[in-house]
PDB file of all heavy atoms in Angstrom:
ATOM      1  N   GLU C   1     124.054 163.039  90.252  1.00  0.00           N
ATOM      2  CA  GLU C   1     124.986 162.183  89.558  1.00  0.00           C
ATOM      3  C   GLU C   1     124.203 161.023  88.866  1.00  0.00           C
ATOM      4  O   GLU C   1     124.557 160.643  87.830  1.00  0.00           O
ATOM      5  CB  GLU C   1     125.927 161.568  90.523  1.00  0.00           C
ATOM      6  CG  GLU C   1     127.184 162.492  90.798  1.00  0.00           C
ATOM      7  CD  GLU C   1     128.296 161.828  91.548  1.00  0.00           C
ATOM      8  OE1 GLU C   1     128.811 160.726  91.128  1.00  0.00           O
ATOM      9  OE2 GLU C   1     128.610 162.318  92.743  1.00  0.00           O
ATOM     10  N   VAL C   2     123.142 160.441  89.547  1.00  0.00           N
ATOM     11  CA  VAL C   2     122.356 159.456  89.008  1.00  0.00           C
ATOM     12  C   VAL C   2     121.713 159.936  87.814  1.00  0.00           C
ATOM     13  O   VAL C   2     121.579 159.241  86.669  1.00  0.00           O
ATOM     14  CB  VAL C   2     121.348 158.824  90.003  1.00  0.00           C
ATOM     15  CG1 VAL C   2     120.473 157.868  89.429  1.00  0.00           C
ATOM     16  CG2 VAL C   2     122.132 158.070  91.117  1.00  0.00           C
ATOM     17  N   ILE C   3     121.090 161.126  87.764  1.00  0.00           N
ATOM     18  CA  ILE C   3     120.441 161.705  86.697  1.00  0.00           C
ATOM     19  C   ILE C   3     121.429 161.830  85.525  1.00  0.00           C
ATOM     20  O   ILE C   3     121.037 161.542  84.331  1.00  0.00           O
ATOM     21  CB  ILE C   3     119.809 163.130  87.035  1.00  0.00           C
ATOM     22  CG1 ILE C   3     118.534 162.822  87.913  1.00  0.00           C
ATOM     23  CG2 ILE C   3     119.328 163.811  85.845  1.00  0.00           C
ATOM     24  CD1 ILE C   3     117.993 164.084  88.571  1.00  0.00           C
ATOM     25  N   GLU C   4     122.632 162.263  85.783  1.00  0.00           N
ATOM     26  CA  GLU C   4     123.609 162.404  84.688  1.00  0.00           C
ATOM     27  C   GLU C   4     124.054 161.082  84.118  1.00  0.00           C
ATOM     28  O   GLU C   4     123.995 160.976  82.858  1.00  0.00           O
ATOM     29  CB  GLU C   4     124.890 162.949  85.348  1.00  0.00           C
ATOM     30  CG  GLU C   4     125.976 163.156  84.334  1.00  0.00           C
ATOM     31  CD  GLU C   4     127.354 163.633  84.943  1.00  0.00           C
ATOM     32  OE1 GLU C   4     127.282 164.424  85.939  1.00  0.00           O
ATOM     33  OE2 GLU C   4     128.451 163.151  84.480  1.00  0.00           O
ATOM     34  N   VAL C   5     124.085 160.078  84.726  1.00  0.00           N
ATOM     35  CA  VAL C   5     124.343 158.699  84.225  1.00  0.00           C
ATOM     36  C   VAL C   5     123.188 158.160  83.587  1.00  0.00           C
ATOM     37  O   VAL C   5     123.386 157.742  82.337  1.00  0.00           O
ATOM     38  CB  VAL C   5     124.753 157.674  85.392  1.00  0.00           C
ATOM     39  CG1 VAL C   5     124.779 156.323  84.749  1.00  0.00           C
ATOM     40  CG2 VAL C   5     126.120 158.037  86.042  1.00  0.00           C
ATOM     41  N   VAL C   6     121.983 158.249  83.947  1.00  0.00           N
ATOM     42  CA  VAL C   6     120.791 157.912  83.314  1.00  0.00           C
ATOM     43  C   VAL C   6     120.605 158.608  82.093  1.00  0.00           C
ATOM     44  O   VAL C   6     120.282 158.137  80.947  1.00  0.00           O
ATOM     45  CB  VAL C   6     119.540 158.039  84.114  1.00  0.00           C
ATOM     46  CG1 VAL C   6     118.284 157.672  83.325  1.00  0.00           C
ATOM     47  CG2 VAL C   6     119.675 157.132  85.355  1.00  0.00           C
ATOM     48  N   SER C   7     120.932 160.103  82.050  1.00  0.00           N
ATOM     49  CA  SER C   7     120.878 160.814  80.873  1.00  0.00           C
ATOM     50  C   SER C   7     121.655 160.393  79.684  1.00  0.00           C
ATOM     51  O   SER C   7     121.484 160.377  78.519  1.00  0.00           O
ATOM     52  CB  SER C   7     121.124 162.180  81.073  1.00  0.00           C
ATOM     53  OG  SER C   7     120.073 162.848  82.030  1.00  0.00           O
ATOM     54  N   ARG C   8     122.962 160.031  80.175  1.00  0.00           N
ATOM     55  CA  ARG C   8     123.977 159.510  79.277  1.00  0.00           C
ATOM     56  C   ARG C   8     123.458 158.258  78.591  1.00  0.00           C
ATOM     57  O   ARG C   8     123.855 157.885  77.520  1.00  0.00           O
ATOM     58  CB  ARG C   8     125.311 159.381  79.888  1.00  0.00           C
ATOM     59  CG  ARG C   8     126.035 160.552  80.137  1.00  0.00           C
ATOM     60  CD  ARG C   8     127.497 160.385  80.440  1.00  0.00           C
ATOM     61  NE  ARG C   8     127.699 159.187  81.324  1.00  0.00           N
ATOM     62  CZ  ARG C   8     128.114 159.327  82.554  1.00  0.00           C
ATOM     63  NH1 ARG C   8     128.367 160.400  83.109  1.00  0.00           N
ATOM     64  NH2 ARG C   8     128.285 158.288  83.362  1.00  0.00           N
ATOM     65  N   HIS C   9     122.884 157.465  79.431  1.00  0.00           N
ATOM     66  CA  HIS C   9     122.380 156.054  78.979  1.00  0.00           C
ATOM     67  C   HIS C   9     121.357 156.199  77.946  1.00  0.00           C
ATOM     68  O   HIS C   9     121.257 155.357  76.972  1.00  0.00           O
ATOM     69  CB  HIS C   9     121.904 155.231  80.207  1.00  0.00           C
ATOM     70  CG  HIS C   9     121.617 153.911  79.818  1.00  0.00           C
ATOM     71  ND1 HIS C   9     122.546 152.902  79.674  1.00  0.00           N
ATOM     72  CD2 HIS C   9     120.301 153.268  79.622  1.00  0.00           C
ATOM     73  CE1 HIS C   9     121.884 151.763  79.327  1.00  0.00           C
ATOM     74  NE2 HIS C   9     120.611 151.912  79.380  1.00  0.00           N
ATOM     75  N   ARG C  10     120.417 157.127  78.050  1.00  0.00           N
ATOM     76  CA  ARG C  10     119.377 157.367  77.181  1.00  0.00           C
ATOM     77  C   ARG C  10     119.286 158.699  76.421  1.00  0.00           C
ATOM     78  O   ARG C  10     118.525 158.805  75.541  1.00  0.00           O
ATOM     79  CB  ARG C  10     117.983 157.333  77.973  1.00  0.00           C
ATOM     80  CG  ARG C  10     117.292 156.048  77.877  1.00  0.00           C
ATOM     81  CD  ARG C  10     117.212 155.345  76.364  1.00  0.00           C
ATOM     82  NE  ARG C  10     116.220 154.417  76.394  1.00  0.00           N
ATOM     83  CZ  ARG C  10     116.463 153.171  75.858  1.00  0.00           C
ATOM     84  NH1 ARG C  10     117.661 152.983  75.381  1.00  0.00           N
ATOM     85  NH2 ARG C  10     115.661 152.253  75.840  1.00  0.00           N
ATOM     86  N   ASP C  11     120.284 159.427  76.652  1.00  0.00           N
ATOM     87  CA  ASP C  11     120.414 160.780  76.038  1.00  0.00           C
ATOM     88  C   ASP C  11     119.136 161.483  75.852  1.00  0.00           C
ATOM     89  O   ASP C  11     118.676 161.923  74.839  1.00  0.00           O
ATOM     90  CB  ASP C  11     121.016 160.578  74.690  1.00  0.00           C
ATOM     91  CG  ASP C  11     121.552 161.869  73.975  1.00  0.00           C
ATOM     92  OD1 ASP C  11     121.934 162.786  74.716  1.00  0.00           O
ATOM     93  OD2 ASP C  11     121.585 161.996  72.836  1.00  0.00           O
ATOM     94  N   ARG C  12     118.446 161.645  77.021  1.00  0.00           N
ATOM     95  CA  ARG C  12     117.201 162.309  77.174  1.00  0.00           C
ATOM     96  C   ARG C  12     117.206 163.139  78.397  1.00  0.00           C
ATOM     97  O   ARG C  12     118.006 162.917  79.339  1.00  0.00           O
ATOM     98  CB  ARG C  12     115.938 161.415  77.374  1.00  0.00           C
ATOM     99  CG  ARG C  12     115.641 160.662  76.058  1.00  0.00           C
ATOM    100  CD  ARG C  12     114.448 159.893  76.235  1.00  0.00           C
ATOM    101  NE  ARG C  12     114.087 159.265  74.927  1.00  0.00           N
ATOM    102  CZ  ARG C  12     113.088 158.460  74.925  1.00  0.00           C
ATOM    103  NH1 ARG C  12     112.279 158.122  75.812  1.00  0.00           N
ATOM    104  NH2 ARG C  12     112.645 157.855  73.604  1.00  0.00           N
ATOM    105  N   GLU C  13     116.286 164.119  78.458  1.00  0.00           N
ATOM    106  CA  GLU C  13     116.113 164.921  79.718  1.00  0.00           C
ATOM    107  C   GLU C  13     115.565 163.980  80.841  1.00  0.00           C
ATOM    108  O   GLU C  13     114.653 163.284  80.581  1.00  0.00           O
ATOM    109  CB  GLU C  13     115.276 166.187  79.613  1.00  0.00           C
ATOM    110  CG  GLU C  13     115.281 167.094  80.667  1.00  0.00           C
ATOM    111  CD  GLU C  13     114.644 168.369  80.466  1.00  0.00           C
ATOM    112  OE1 GLU C  13     114.678 168.800  79.198  1.00  0.00           O
ATOM    113  OE2 GLU C  13     113.867 168.896  81.268  1.00  0.00           O
ATOM    114  N   VAL C  14     116.162 163.971  82.000  1.00  0.00           N
ATOM    115  CA  VAL C  14     115.748 163.092  83.040  1.00  0.00           C
ATOM    116  C   VAL C  14     115.571 163.847  84.365  1.00  0.00           C
ATOM    117  O   VAL C  14     116.477 164.852  84.591  1.00  0.00           O
ATOM    118  CB  VAL C  14     116.911 161.958  83.296  1.00  0.00           C
ATOM    119  CG1 VAL C  14     116.560 161.106  84.408  1.00  0.00           C
ATOM    120  CG2 VAL C  14     117.043 161.205  81.992  1.00  0.00           C
ATOM    121  N   ALA C  15     114.601 163.545  85.202  1.00  0.00           N
ATOM    122  CA  ALA C  15     114.462 164.115  86.458  1.00  0.00           C
ATOM    123  C   ALA C  15     114.341 162.918  87.516  1.00  0.00           C
ATOM    124  O   ALA C  15     114.195 161.789  87.148  1.00  0.00           O
ATOM    125  CB  ALA C  15     113.169 164.989  86.358  1.00  0.00           C
ATOM    126  N   ALA C  16     114.193 163.406  88.723  1.00  0.00           N
ATOM    127  CA  ALA C  16     114.108 162.459  89.885  1.00  0.00           C
ATOM    128  C   ALA C  16     112.812 161.486  89.577  1.00  0.00           C
ATOM    129  O   ALA C  16     112.927 160.248  89.891  1.00  0.00           O
ATOM    130  CB  ALA C  16     113.946 163.121  91.098  1.00  0.00           C
ATOM    131  N   ASP C  17     111.823 162.029  89.143  1.00  0.00           N
ATOM    132  CA  ASP C  17     110.515 161.242  88.970  1.00  0.00           C
ATOM    133  C   ASP C  17     110.402 160.548  87.639  1.00  0.00           C
ATOM    134  O   ASP C  17     109.365 160.014  87.305  1.00  0.00           O
ATOM    135  CB  ASP C  17     109.392 162.093  89.264  1.00  0.00           C
ATOM    136  CG  ASP C  17     109.113 163.188  88.299  1.00  0.00           C
ATOM    137  OD1 ASP C  17     110.097 163.462  87.543  1.00  0.00           O
ATOM    138  OD2 ASP C  17     107.940 163.793  88.382  1.00  0.00           O
ATOM    139  N   THR C  18     111.386 160.597  86.844  1.00  0.00           N
ATOM    140  CA  THR C  18     111.412 159.967  85.513  1.00  0.00           C
ATOM    141  C   THR C  18     111.216 158.394  85.735  1.00  0.00           C
ATOM    142  O   THR C  18     111.945 157.807  86.492  1.00  0.00           O
ATOM    143  CB  THR C  18     112.688 160.278  84.720  1.00  0.00           C
ATOM    144  OG1 THR C  18     112.672 161.744  84.470  1.00  0.00           O
ATOM    145  CG2 THR C  18     112.618 159.474  83.316  1.00  0.00           C
ATOM    146  N   ASP C  19     110.150 157.822  85.066  1.00  0.00           N
ATOM    147  CA  ASP C  19     109.831 156.466  85.104  1.00  0.00           C
ATOM    148  C   ASP C  19     110.789 155.715  84.104  1.00  0.00           C
ATOM    149  O   ASP C  19     110.692 156.120  82.954  1.00  0.00           O
ATOM    150  CB  ASP C  19     108.415 156.156  84.990  1.00  0.00           C
ATOM    151  CG  ASP C  19     108.110 154.753  85.247  1.00  0.00           C
ATOM    152  OD1 ASP C  19     108.517 153.987  84.404  1.00  0.00           O
ATOM    153  OD2 ASP C  19     107.459 154.350  86.257  1.00  0.00           O
ATOM    154  N   LEU C  20     111.513 154.752  84.509  1.00  0.00           N
ATOM    155  CA  LEU C  20     112.553 154.158  83.609  1.00  0.00           C
ATOM    156  C   LEU C  20     111.672 153.346  82.451  1.00  0.00           C
ATOM    157  O   LEU C  20     112.211 153.266  81.277  1.00  0.00           O
ATOM    158  CB  LEU C  20     113.450 153.058  84.378  1.00  0.00           C
ATOM    159  CG  LEU C  20     114.245 153.760  85.523  1.00  0.00           C
ATOM    160  CD1 LEU C  20     114.916 152.576  86.215  1.00  0.00           C
ATOM    161  CD2 LEU C  20     115.161 154.727  84.854  1.00  0.00           C
ATOM    162  N   VAL C  21     110.541 152.787  82.777  1.00  0.00           N
ATOM    163  CA  VAL C  21     109.787 152.176  81.773  1.00  0.00           C
ATOM    164  C   VAL C  21     108.876 152.988  80.970  1.00  0.00           C
ATOM    165  O   VAL C  21     108.955 153.179  79.706  1.00  0.00           O
ATOM    166  CB  VAL C  21     108.997 150.973  82.364  1.00  0.00           C
ATOM    167  CG1 VAL C  21     108.194 150.173  81.344  1.00  0.00           C
ATOM    168  CG2 VAL C  21     109.951 149.995  83.065  1.00  0.00           C
ATOM    169  N   ALA C  22     107.960 153.687  81.661  1.00  0.00           N
ATOM    170  CA  ALA C  22     107.070 154.567  80.971  1.00  0.00           C
ATOM    171  C   ALA C  22     107.702 155.642  80.201  1.00  0.00           C
ATOM    172  O   ALA C  22     107.261 156.082  79.125  1.00  0.00           O
ATOM    173  CB  ALA C  22     105.953 155.031  82.034  1.00  0.00           C
ATOM    174  N   ASP C  23     108.641 156.380  80.881  1.00  0.00           N
ATOM    175  CA  ASP C  23     109.145 157.689  80.330  1.00  0.00           C
ATOM    176  C   ASP C  23     110.316 157.251  79.467  1.00  0.00           C
ATOM    177  O   ASP C  23     110.488 158.040  78.432  1.00  0.00           O
ATOM    178  CB  ASP C  23     109.533 158.630  81.438  1.00  0.00           C
ATOM    179  CG  ASP C  23     108.284 159.027  82.250  1.00  0.00           C
ATOM    180  OD1 ASP C  23     107.306 159.093  81.697  1.00  0.00           O
ATOM    181  OD2 ASP C  23     108.595 159.289  83.394  1.00  0.00           O
ATOM    182  N   LEU C  24     111.101 156.455  79.654  1.00  0.00           N
ATOM    183  CA  LEU C  24     112.360 156.198  78.969  1.00  0.00           C
ATOM    184  C   LEU C  24     112.288 154.881  78.109  1.00  0.00           C
ATOM    185  O   LEU C  24     113.229 154.646  77.327  1.00  0.00           O
ATOM    186  CB  LEU C  24     113.572 156.053  79.896  1.00  0.00           C
ATOM    187  CG  LEU C  24     114.030 157.261  80.586  1.00  0.00           C
ATOM    188  CD1 LEU C  24     115.064 157.051  81.596  1.00  0.00           C
ATOM    189  CD2 LEU C  24     114.124 158.506  79.725  1.00  0.00           C
ATOM    190  N   ASN C  25     111.150 154.151  78.228  1.00  0.00           N
ATOM    191  CA  ASN C  25     111.019 152.994  77.432  1.00  0.00           C
ATOM    192  C   ASN C  25     111.989 151.872  77.537  1.00  0.00           C
ATOM    193  O   ASN C  25     112.481 151.265  76.689  1.00  0.00           O
ATOM    194  CB  ASN C  25     110.863 153.200  75.778  1.00  0.00           C
ATOM    195  CG  ASN C  25     109.754 154.217  75.617  1.00  0.00           C
ATOM    196  OD1 ASN C  25     108.580 154.055  76.100  1.00  0.00           O
ATOM    197  ND2 ASN C  25     109.949 155.214  74.823  1.00  0.00           N
ATOM    198  N   LEU C  26     112.558 151.733  78.785  1.00  0.00           N
ATOM    199  CA  LEU C  26     113.533 150.728  79.078  1.00  0.00           C
ATOM    200  C   LEU C  26     112.882 149.346  79.257  1.00  0.00           C
ATOM    201  O   LEU C  26     111.934 149.327  79.978  1.00  0.00           O
ATOM    202  CB  LEU C  26     114.432 151.161  80.318  1.00  0.00           C
ATOM    203  CG  LEU C  26     115.174 152.468  80.137  1.00  0.00           C
ATOM    204  CD1 LEU C  26     116.010 152.689  81.537  1.00  0.00           C
ATOM    205  CD2 LEU C  26     116.129 152.410  79.009  1.00  0.00           C
ATOM    206  N   ASP C  27     113.447 148.344  78.782  1.00  0.00           N
ATOM    207  CA  ASP C  27     112.997 147.088  79.047  1.00  0.00           C
ATOM    208  C   ASP C  27     113.884 146.531  80.203  1.00  0.00           C
ATOM    209  O   ASP C  27     114.736 147.084  80.611  1.00  0.00           O
ATOM    210  CB  ASP C  27     112.916 146.210  77.876  1.00  0.00           C
ATOM    211  CG  ASP C  27     114.254 145.959  77.201  1.00  0.00           C
ATOM    212  OD1 ASP C  27     115.263 146.112  77.845  1.00  0.00           O
ATOM    213  OD2 ASP C  27     114.252 145.485  76.022  1.00  0.00           O
ATOM    214  N   SER C  28     113.697 145.183  80.626  1.00  0.00           N
ATOM    215  CA  SER C  28     114.444 144.674  81.738  1.00  0.00           C
ATOM    216  C   SER C  28     116.040 144.552  81.336  1.00  0.00           C
ATOM    217  O   SER C  28     116.792 144.693  82.248  1.00  0.00           O
ATOM    218  CB  SER C  28     113.962 143.204  82.079  1.00  0.00           C
ATOM    219  OG  SER C  28     113.964 142.392  81.008  1.00  0.00           O
ATOM    220  N   ILE C  29     116.290 144.226  80.220  1.00  0.00           N
ATOM    221  CA  ILE C  29     117.662 144.256  79.817  1.00  0.00           C
ATOM    222  C   ILE C  29     118.275 145.621  79.851  1.00  0.00           C
ATOM    223  O   ILE C  29     119.451 145.779  80.274  1.00  0.00           O
ATOM    224  CB  ILE C  29     117.843 143.609  78.371  1.00  0.00           C
ATOM    225  CG1 ILE C  29     117.432 142.106  78.455  1.00  0.00           C
ATOM    226  CG2 ILE C  29     119.287 143.700  77.884  1.00  0.00           C
ATOM    227  CD1 ILE C  29     117.621 141.306  77.312  1.00  0.00           C
ATOM    228  N   ASP C  30     117.473 146.548  79.341  1.00  0.00           N
ATOM    229  CA  ASP C  30     118.227 147.961  79.286  1.00  0.00           C
ATOM    230  C   ASP C  30     118.346 148.545  80.824  1.00  0.00           C
ATOM    231  O   ASP C  30     119.279 149.127  81.202  1.00  0.00           O
ATOM    232  CB  ASP C  30     117.061 148.980  78.695  1.00  0.00           C
ATOM    233  CG  ASP C  30     117.042 148.742  77.289  1.00  0.00           C
ATOM    234  OD1 ASP C  30     117.991 148.335  76.585  1.00  0.00           O
ATOM    235  OD2 ASP C  30     115.765 149.121  76.757  1.00  0.00           O
ATOM    236  N   ILE C  31     117.345 147.976  81.735  1.00  0.00           N
ATOM    237  CA  ILE C  31     117.532 148.422  83.176  1.00  0.00           C
ATOM    238  C   ILE C  31     118.717 147.741  83.708  1.00  0.00           C
ATOM    239  O   ILE C  31     119.468 148.497  84.408  1.00  0.00           O
ATOM    240  CB  ILE C  31     116.177 148.105  83.881  1.00  0.00           C
ATOM    241  CG1 ILE C  31     115.161 149.049  83.441  1.00  0.00           C
ATOM    242  CG2 ILE C  31     116.493 148.207  85.353  1.00  0.00           C
ATOM    243  CD1 ILE C  31     113.694 148.777  84.034  1.00  0.00           C
ATOM    244  N   ALA C  32     118.886 146.474  83.392  1.00  0.00           N
ATOM    245  CA  ALA C  32     120.111 145.759  83.984  1.00  0.00           C
ATOM    246  C   ALA C  32     121.484 146.433  83.512  1.00  0.00           C
ATOM    247  O   ALA C  32     122.462 146.631  84.254  1.00  0.00           O
ATOM    248  CB  ALA C  32     120.134 144.307  83.433  1.00  0.00           C
ATOM    249  N   GLU C  33     121.467 146.856  82.099  1.00  0.00           N
ATOM    250  CA  GLU C  33     122.641 147.621  81.577  1.00  0.00           C
ATOM    251  C   GLU C  33     122.826 148.803  82.302  1.00  0.00           C
ATOM    252  O   GLU C  33     123.900 149.326  82.716  1.00  0.00           O
ATOM    253  CB  GLU C  33     122.485 147.818  80.057  1.00  0.00           C
ATOM    254  CG  GLU C  33     122.587 146.417  79.269  1.00  0.00           C
ATOM    255  CD  GLU C  33     122.291 146.693  77.848  1.00  0.00           C
ATOM    256  OE1 GLU C  33     121.743 147.794  77.413  1.00  0.00           O
ATOM    257  OE2 GLU C  33     122.486 145.765  77.089  1.00  0.00           O
ATOM    258  N   LEU C  34     121.692 149.636  82.577  1.00  0.00           N
ATOM    259  CA  LEU C  34     121.827 150.950  83.354  1.00  0.00           C
ATOM    260  C   LEU C  34     122.404 150.678  84.713  1.00  0.00           C
ATOM    261  O   LEU C  34     123.154 151.381  85.154  1.00  0.00           O
ATOM    262  CB  LEU C  34     120.492 151.531  83.356  1.00  0.00           C
ATOM    263  CG  LEU C  34     120.285 152.840  84.191  1.00  0.00           C
ATOM    264  CD1 LEU C  34     121.232 153.884  83.670  1.00  0.00           C
ATOM    265  CD2 LEU C  34     118.915 153.407  84.166  1.00  0.00           C
ATOM    266  N   VAL C  35     121.783 149.691  85.324  1.00  0.00           N
ATOM    267  CA  VAL C  35     122.397 149.313  86.770  1.00  0.00           C
ATOM    268  C   VAL C  35     123.837 149.016  86.653  1.00  0.00           C
ATOM    269  O   VAL C  35     124.564 149.517  87.592  1.00  0.00           O
ATOM    270  CB  VAL C  35     121.426 148.243  87.424  1.00  0.00           C
ATOM    271  CG1 VAL C  35     122.040 147.742  88.589  1.00  0.00           C
ATOM    272  CG2 VAL C  35     120.066 148.777  87.689  1.00  0.00           C
ATOM    273  N   ALA C  36     124.221 148.199  85.798  1.00  0.00           N
ATOM    274  CA  ALA C  36     125.628 147.944  85.654  1.00  0.00           C
ATOM    275  C   ALA C  36     126.429 149.241  85.341  1.00  0.00           C
ATOM    276  O   ALA C  36     127.501 149.423  85.986  1.00  0.00           O
ATOM    277  CB  ALA C  36     125.868 146.959  84.335  1.00  0.00           C
ATOM    278  N   GLU C  37     125.919 150.132  84.645  1.00  0.00           N
ATOM    279  CA  GLU C  37     126.634 151.461  84.345  1.00  0.00           C
ATOM    280  C   GLU C  37     126.614 152.293  85.623  1.00  0.00           C
ATOM    281  O   GLU C  37     127.646 152.866  85.978  1.00  0.00           O
ATOM    282  CB  GLU C  37     125.916 152.319  83.257  1.00  0.00           C
ATOM    283  CG  GLU C  37     126.699 153.330  82.844  1.00  0.00           C
ATOM    284  CD  GLU C  37     125.886 154.105  81.603  1.00  0.00           C
ATOM    285  OE1 GLU C  37     125.288 153.372  80.805  1.00  0.00           O
ATOM    286  OE2 GLU C  37     126.198 155.246  81.373  1.00  0.00           O
ATOM    287  N   ILE C  38     125.580 152.239  86.409  1.00  0.00           N
ATOM    288  CA  ILE C  38     125.487 152.925  87.749  1.00  0.00           C
ATOM    289  C   ILE C  38     126.504 152.235  88.680  1.00  0.00           C
ATOM    290  O   ILE C  38     127.281 152.971  89.392  1.00  0.00           O
ATOM    291  CB  ILE C  38     124.138 152.990  88.367  1.00  0.00           C
ATOM    292  CG1 ILE C  38     123.142 153.636  87.439  1.00  0.00           C
ATOM    293  CG2 ILE C  38     124.030 153.279  89.818  1.00  0.00           C
ATOM    294  CD1 ILE C  38     123.100 155.056  87.664  1.00  0.00           C
TER     295      ILE C  38
END
């Protein structure tokens, strides 16, 4: 379910070990928005 939500947030293939910063290029505001969505 978490992978599904993160995938919708970034519309990319996501796995358990996907790094939010390195792999998805999320900054602190993006992470805060993602956490709010979660």
Side-chain angles (χ1 to χ4, degrees):
E1 279 190 56
V2 171
I3 287 171
E4 179 185 326
V5 173
V6 174
S7 295
R8 284 194 317 250
H9 186 78
R10 256 314 190 232
D11 196 29
R12 290 189 178 174
E13 190 170 324
V14 175
D17 63 347
T18 298
D19 186 288
L20 301 175
V21 175
D23 298 329
L24 299 180
N25 300 317
L26 299 181
D27 61 23
S28 58
I29 293 184
D30 292 328
I31 292 172
E33 289 173 353
L34 174 60
V35 167
E37 192 171 333
I38 294 282

